[in-house]
Amino acid sequence: MPATATRRSPLATAYRTHTCGELRDAHAGERVKLAGWVHAYRHQGKGLVFVDLRDRAGLTQVTFDMEDSPADVLEAGSKLRQEDAVSVEGIVRIKESPNPKLPTGKIEVVVESVEVLAKTAPPPLLPSDDDTLPSEEGRLTNRYLDLRRPAMQRILQVRHEVGAIAREYFHSIGFLEVETPILCKSTPEGALDFLVPSRMNPGQWYALPQSPQLFKQILMVAGCDRYFQITKCFRDEDLRADRQPEFTQIDLEMSFVTREDVMRAMEGFARKLWKNVLDVDVPELRRMTYREAMDTYGIDRPDLRYGLELVDVSDIARRTDFKVFTGALEKPRGVVKAIRVPGGSHVLTRKITDGYTEFVKTFGAGGVPVTKVVEGGKLEGGVAKFLEPLATDLIARMGAAPGDTILFGADTYSVVTKSLGELRQKVARDMKLLDAPSAPKWSFLWVVDFPMFEWDAETSRFFAMHHPFTAPSPEDVGRFMAADPREHDTVESIVSAGYDMVVNGSEIGGGSIRIHQQDVQKKVFHLLGISEEEAQAKFSFLLEALRFGAPPHGGIAFGLDRLVMHLAGVDNIRDVIAFPKTQTGADLMCDCPSPVDKAQLDELYIKSTFAG
RNA sequence: GGGGCGGUAGCUCAAUUGGUUAGAGUACCGGACUGUCGAUCCGGUGGUUGCGGGUUCGAGUCCCGUCCGCCUCGCCA
């Protein structure tokens, strides 16, 4: 082995001395071996062939030429095609004309020997072609080629780093990584379970965990003190761009803590993540109550990178003869709210605002009344004629200036909140508010003081907004213990000790302080209409555990997939998962789910009732 | 369960009002080229227009059904 001027690569193997991303001009003159895939090749005649060799780490140009490469090597080099796997050995040389686009662009490797490790079949997807990305279907079917793309390799790298940072950080502040079962008892969380039949217990079933919630609480009772795990969770619900049936949580729980302790630990984690991955400094997180978030942003996970706040104008609207407004205000919990879009009249054409009416219809609203603010404190266009006598008050309330557009929502509180909350985000995109150079890149906040219970009129009962083990906020414990389930408004006003971390309008983590006292837990079940028997049948093991000196405890779970989406700057959850499912829950590469032999079902005592 | 968009060469796309032999780029194959780096130039192979049915003299195009993918409402504490 010749002496080398530079440090041996940690990725060196029998097939390579370095990766394709690490050679620099300092390596000039060294004998090296590289292994990877042919990313691109350029023939310059019979005597000169350039090949860009790619591995996980990057690209390096390797050169076959008739003066420096043996004839048979040059011949072999000229036959290389995209995605062949090869290993080459040669001398690092400074390029005559450097390529500033590549970190390795100052050098090339002059090939003295080449080994074709594996010729490729015709690839259905070319990792070197980033401009014409194949369909989602093609990418998922040929995932091994899709993942070869440098963009995907980078995301895998980010995801790995998030996991590594999590382990390092939580270890450093005393967390124990503990594994919890994948074969579980079906628990009372809101989503549908994936079920697994038990061969040894005919007719009985395991469920895959929707989260390790109960186990981590039991670990606290068990004296674990601080538990942490990166773990898969399973929910059999319809998918979205940010939802998969199996997803990964960074899950943790802490003993002898208040809300503040958990939130401080988690902020530290977020800060470290953003610093280490993106070199972004995360400031101290502001807090917002659930009520404020819903009132002002129409959503429990507001994106604070732009304004467009919802403003209650019910009192002004009441003084109009506009039936849309007055009619809405006659409804129970009727309200009229407005969004001021600065400079909107230049961008939001009639066509666009007509589209808003269609848009809000999907959320149950009737439409979006619109007006524009013009010079002289006047309104023009849309519903202006109904508002003219009130223009001054409205403009003052909205802080509006000429050129602004005002969008209205008039209906019940929940419809206005939902529809304007969604519309606010759409308007921000249409106005390109996030593309402005002055726009903040990151918006972090905690949303706190969630209601513990929500009344569901259809089933005439309360639902736990978080889960039934969430403790009431310390300030509300008294009111909670005294609450009468028949007094809906009182029950709905009780605030929990829960907290959600929100980044750029996406919930990336949520948790709560849990109930550790039996009488409090019983009261929750009572309010939820869960009988003693039902509670015992569903989670007696947790209730049993809580009898034996349970410490005050609380925790949080971060959605790893969504974290990586933000850190990698992608808008689709499939891109941050190596082997994701389609919207119908299929894995196109494995071709599953798929039928199984009848014998396999017999062994499990299962008979399908599916007629198809 | 509902709404929307899409499926044409290995890949990405085009194809006028329903009308000639369904085209282009790229990949691949062959040729030219000694400094390229999105190489260039010349030539070539490559098609069950997702699938099934219908209307029509004639269907990639229109109609019905169906499958698949994506976005979304409901759903997902």
Side-chain angles (χ1 to χ4, degrees):
Chain A
M1 188 68 116
T4 51
T6 49
R7 207 162 53 90
R8 180 181 160 87
S9 168
L11 277 79
T13 68
Y15 288 95
R16 66 180 176 210
T17 58
H18 298 77
T19 67
C20 296
E22 63 183 306
L23 294 175
R24 299 290 184 275
D25 44 6
H27 294 83
E30 285 184 36
R31 170 171 297 276
V32 299
K33 281 179 83 174
L34 298 178
W37 290 269
V38 175
H39 187 75
Y41 63 89
R42 295 173 291 279
H43 288 185
Q44 299 297 313
K46 287 204 158 46
L48 181 62
V49 175
F50 301 109
V51 170
D52 291 335
L53 202 60
R54 183 196 69 239
D55 64 14
R56 199 183 84 192
L59 289 176
T60 299
Q61 175 168 300
V62 302
T63 303
F64 302 78
D65 76 56
M66 61 195 304
E67 281 128 40
D68 304 288
S69 307
D72 59 325
V73 171
L74 176 58
E75 167 76 11
S78 71
K79 287 183 178 156
L80 294 176
R81 292 297 179 266
Q82 293 187 39
E83 300 312 314
D84 288 339
V86 296
S87 170
V88 299
E89 181 170 2
I91 305 293
V92 179
R93 181 165 72 185
I94 303 290
K95 286 173 74 171
E96 289 177 19
S97 46
N99 180 359
K101 290 179 192 164
L102 291 181
T104 61
K106 285 184 178 167
I107 56 91
E108 63 187 348
V109 174
V110 185
V111 180
E112 295 185 351
S113 72
V114 60
E115 184 183 357
V116 179
L117 304 172
K119 287 292 287 181
T120 181
L125 185 162
L126 282 176
S128 55
D129 191 348
D130 256 351
D131 298 333
T132 57
L133 201 58
S135 66
E136 193 75 22
E137 210 170 342
R139 293 177 57 199
L140 294 176
T141 307
N142 306 285
R143 194 59 160 176
Y144 28 81
L145 292 176
D146 188 39
L147 290 175
R148 275 189 196 172
R149 292 167 44 232
M152 295 301 281
Q153 292 283 320
R154 187 184 70 83
I155 294 171
L156 290 178
Q157 182 75 35
V158 169
R159 188 172 179 123
H160 161 78
E161 280 169 24
V162 171
I165 291 165
R167 288 204 164 84
E168 182 189 303
Y169 174 79
F170 289 113
H171 170 73
S172 78
I173 55 174
F175 281 76
L176 290 188
E177 187 164 359
V178 181
E179 290 160 274
T180 54
I182 293 296
L183 298 177
C184 294
K185 186 179 180 68
S186 179
T187 54
E189 290 154 302
L192 296 172
D193 282 325
F194 284 98
L195 294 176
V196 179
S198 169
R199 177 182 56 82
M200 289 184 281
N201 302 276
Q204 309 219 45
W205 303 77
Y206 301 98
L208 304 183
Q210 294 182 25
S211 77
Q213 181 62 36
L214 274 54
F215 290 104
K216 68 176 177 177
Q217 288 191 239
I218 288 172
L219 282 169
M220 295 303 98
V221 179
C224 181
D225 202 281
R226 292 186 173 193
Y227 141 91
F228 143 86
Q229 183 182 202
I230 299 178
T231 189
K232 279 284 177 73
C233 303
F234 305 86
R235 294 176 194 176
D236 189 7
E237 294 291 342
D238 286 1
L239 306 182
R240 288 288 186 281
D242 61 352
R243 274 196 243 156
Q244 282 273 302
E246 57 175 304
F247 59 99
T248 305
Q249 283 188 346
I250 301 176
D251 190 51
L252 59 114
E253 196 78 4
M254 308 167 75
S255 287
F256 306 111
V257 288
T258 65
R259 188 173 86 169
E260 298 305 317
D261 298 302
V262 181
M263 292 167 86
R264 193 180 323 117
M266 296 319 295
E267 272 195 52
F269 176 52
R271 198 159 287 125
K272 185 153 189 175
L273 268 186
W274 258 257
K275 185 65 184 176
N276 290 14
V277 177
L278 298 175
D279 197 25
V280 166
D281 291 305
V282 174
E284 188 176 343
L285 267 63
R286 66 165 289 188
R287 296 183 186 186
M288 185 182 292
T289 64
Y290 172 82
R291 177 56 47 206
E292 183 185 355
M294 296 304 283
D295 282 349
T296 312
Y297 300 97
I299 195 164
D300 62 358
R301 45 182 171 84
D303 188 338
L304 305 183
R305 288 175 295 173
Y306 51 87
L308 305 179
E309 289 90 353
L310 280 54
V311 177
D312 194 325
V313 293
S314 300
D315 54 326
I316 299 175
R318 201 179 305 282
R319 289 149 43 204
T320 66
D321 295 325
F322 188 27
K323 283 211 179 64
V324 172
F325 287 178
T326 54
L329 291 168
E330 281 163 17
K331 294 185 183 185
R333 304 200 67 186
V335 70
V336 178
K337 290 194 170 198
I339 296 176
R340 175 179 79 96
V341 185
S345 54
H346 312 298
V347 182
L348 303 180
T349 59
R350 175 64 190 268
K351 192 178 171 187
I352 291 177
T353 56
D354 282 353
Y356 290 167
T357 288
E358 290 311 304
F359 179 74
V360 298
K361 279 181 181 169
T362 61
F363 306 104
V368 181
V370 179
T371 192
K372 292 171 181 177
V373 181
V374 295
E375 296 293 342
K378 290 192 176 344
L379 301 174
E380 197 176 282
V383 296
K385 62 178 174 179
F386 299 105
L387 305 175
E388 200 49 55
L390 311 165
T392 310
D393 286 353
L394 182 68
I395 289 170
R397 172 73 56 84
M398 301 304 296
D404 292 355
T405 294
I406 297 177
L407 308 169
F408 296 91
D411 210 299
T412 61
Y413 178 85
S414 67
V415 169
V416 168
T417 298
K418 175 73 177 167
S419 56
L420 287 190
E422 295 294 331
L423 182 62
R424 173 177 176 267
Q425 301 175 65
K426 188 176 177 63
V427 170
R429 288 193 294 274
D430 290 346
M431 294 297 295
K432 302 193 190 319
L433 296 181
L434 293 173
D435 302 339
S438 60
K441 233 174 138 30
W442 298 104
S443 137
F444 286 82
L445 77 151
W446 286 109
V447 176
V448 296
D449 293 351
F450 290 86
M452 280 189 76
F453 305 99
E454 269 181 316
W455 178 255
D456 181 61
E458 261 177 51
T459 53
S460 277
R461 64 187 191 91
F462 286 108
F463 277 89
M465 194 155 176
H466 192 50
H467 56 58
F469 315 110
T470 301
S473 169
E475 298 86 54
D476 271 5
V477 170
R479 290 202 308 130
F480 166 75
M481 292 306 287
D484 183 332
R486 288 167 299 186
E487 292 170 8
H488 296 172
D489 289 351
T490 307
V491 174
E492 284 196 305
S493 74
I494 295 165
V495 163
S496 81
Y499 31 80
D500 279 1
M501 191 186 280
V502 175
V503 172
N504 293 358
S506 132
E507 182 205 323
I508 59 164
S512 63
I513 298 300
R514 328 297 184 186
I515 296 167
H516 72 285
Q517 289 154 317
Q518 291 176 79
D519 54 338
V520 177
Q521 187 65 64
K522 279 185 179 162
K523 179 74 183 183
V524 171
F525 289 150
H526 178 58
L527 288 170
L528 290 174
I530 297 175
S531 69
E532 185 84 16
E533 297 73 39
E534 202 179 338
Q536 286 296 329
K538 281 181 170 164
F539 25 77
S540 59
F541 58 109
L542 176 67
L543 301 180
E544 271 300 292
L546 291 175
R547 291 173 56 213
F548 301 102
H553 63 286
I556 193 165
F558 269 66
L560 174 63
D561 312 284
R562 286 185 192 171
L563 274 178
V564 177
M565 285 171 70
H566 285 290
L567 291 168
V570 301
D571 56 12
N572 194 296
I573 196 170
R574 290 181 303 277
D575 284 349
V576 301
I577 296 174
F579 302 106
K581 306 274 191 287
T582 67
Q583 198 158 56
T584 53
D587 182 327
L588 298 181
M589 187 183 73
C590 308
D591 188 27
C592 79
S594 54
V596 295
D597 290 341
K598 183 171 179 299
Q600 216 173 335
L601 292 178
D602 289 345
E603 200 158 39
L604 295 166
Y605 307 95
I606 295 174
K607 200 159 116 190
S608 176
T609 61
F610 181 62

